[in-house]
């Protein structure tokens, strides 16, 4: 199965977002409409006398309530801080926003958002310290930038780390990391990451996004164990 | 041409109405439900529960989980909405499962608006 096949088989759940805030309509509404790929983004007014910091959004899946999220947490999610996988800083709100949009296909993710989500998956792998982590890089230069993270992930855990890159890798090898270089095919147009959970199905986690414009990706992250498993197979096949 | 203005008596709440209003608005969830209804002529109980739970717990960087929202819905349905209906502040249409502030006397609506500004304003 190719990464494209894997991508095409993702079925995103029918989610809706309702943003509650006092007028004027927050610009976040347009951003969510444009970037999430969720068709039903609605705005409902709170009284004008309420303060501008009083907004929140509500996510439904069909008729089911999924979560209500403060607009500050939602904005932080769209412009996330980048942390190291071993960073102890706990940000439950950010993690919960990621969970809320599990398997939702976003139409416009930028590199910063993808990096922040990748770091969440790498942090989960770091804490689990076992299992297999697979990551793709579009270019050798991108892997070079991330190399310190992978040196530590492979060096200080029992993780089996596989990296797939479109280019040749003619830099020194990274101890504990199997680099599959010159993979070609589709790897250059995807940002993919898969962690098998290290034997714990609840920790399986993946990210798959396709570059649709320079620096703009369409994709999703997921904790769906079957989807993660398909993603792992696609990456493993690409590296053969 | 003279513009008809409400006489002071029309704008003034009678003491019994005020007693009732302060009694029912003493609970935060009831106030929040009324604040939501200030902006929406009618709203389903489910939507009001979403908004009350979100407003109470999610503003800023908070998150509301389904269990918390469900508790809020049940509290509204079984406790707070009946109190608001009995007090004549809110109408609940069982058939459409919707709430509205239509029966709320003007001075009480004004009180709700002022409370909203005091409680949630910047």
């Amino acid at each position: 199965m190719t990464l494209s096949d894997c991508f095409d088989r993702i079925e995103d759940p029918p989610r809706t977002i309702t943003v509650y805030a006092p007028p004027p309509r927050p610009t976040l509404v347009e951003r969510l409409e444009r970037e999430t790929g969720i068709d039903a983004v609605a705005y409902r007014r709170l009284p004008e006398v309420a303060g501008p910091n009083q907004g929140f959004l509500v996510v439904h899946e069909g008729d089911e309530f999924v979560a209500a999220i403060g607009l500050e947490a939602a904005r932080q999610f769209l412009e996330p801080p980048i942390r190291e996988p071993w960073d102890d800083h706990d940000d439950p709100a950010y993690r919960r926003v990621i969970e809320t949009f599990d398997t939702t296909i976003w139409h416009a993710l930028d590199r910063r958002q993808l990096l922040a989500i990748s770091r969440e998956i790498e942090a989960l792998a770091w804490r689990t310290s076992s299992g297999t982590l697979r990551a793709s890089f579009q270019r050798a230069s991108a892997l070079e930038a991330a190399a310190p993270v992978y040196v530590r992930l492979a060096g200080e855990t029992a993780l089996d780390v596989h990296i797939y890159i479109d280019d040749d890798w003619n830099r020194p090898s990274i101890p504990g990391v199997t680099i599959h270089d010159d993979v070609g095919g589709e790897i250059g147009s995807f940002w993919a990451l898969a962690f098998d959970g290290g034997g714990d199905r609840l920790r399986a986690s993946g990210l798959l996004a396709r570059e649709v414009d320079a620096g703009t990706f369409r994709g999703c992250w997921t904790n769906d164990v079957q989807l993660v498993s398909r993603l792992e197979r696609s990456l493993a096949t690409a590296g053969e | 041409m003279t513009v008809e203005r409400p006489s002071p008596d029309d704008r003034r709440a009678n003491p019994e109405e005020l007693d009732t209003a302060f009694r029912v608005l003493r609970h935060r969830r009831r106030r929040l439900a009324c604040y939501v209804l200030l902006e929406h002529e009618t709203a389903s109980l489910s939507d009001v529960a979403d908004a009350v739970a979100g407003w109470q717990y999610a503003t800023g960087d908070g998150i509301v989980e389904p269990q918390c929202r469900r508790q809020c819905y049940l509290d509204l349905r079984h406790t707070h909405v009946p109190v608001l209906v009995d007090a004549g502040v809110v109408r609940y249409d069982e058939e459409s499962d919707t709430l509205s502030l239509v029966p709320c006397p003007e001075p009480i609506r004004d009180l709700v608006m002022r409370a909203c500004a005091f409680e949630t304003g910047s």
Side-chain angles (χ1 to χ4, degrees), chain A residues 132-174:
Chain A
T132 304
L133 178 67
R134 299 175 196 273
S136 78
F137 286 85
Q138 291 178 298
R139 282 171 293 280
S141 57
L143 172 56
E144 200 166 17
V149 169
Y150 280 86
V151 166
R152 205 162 158 190
L153 274 172
E156 296 182 32
T157 69
L159 285 166
D160 185 14
V161 181
H162 290 260
I163 285 179
Y164 306 83
I165 45 175
D166 197 11
D167 294 1
D168 281 328
W169 178 255
N170 47 23
R171 282 84 159 171
S173 61
I174 302 175

Side-chain angles (χ1 to χ4, degrees), chain A residues 45 51 54 60 68 70 72 96, chain B residues 39-40 50 55 58 62 64-65 120:
Chain A
R45 284 168 60 112
Q54 294 290 302
H60 280 99
E72 209 40 59
R96 189 65 186 90
Chain B
E39 280 300 320
H40 303 279
D50 285 356
W55 208 345
V64 175
E65 304 289 344
T120 69

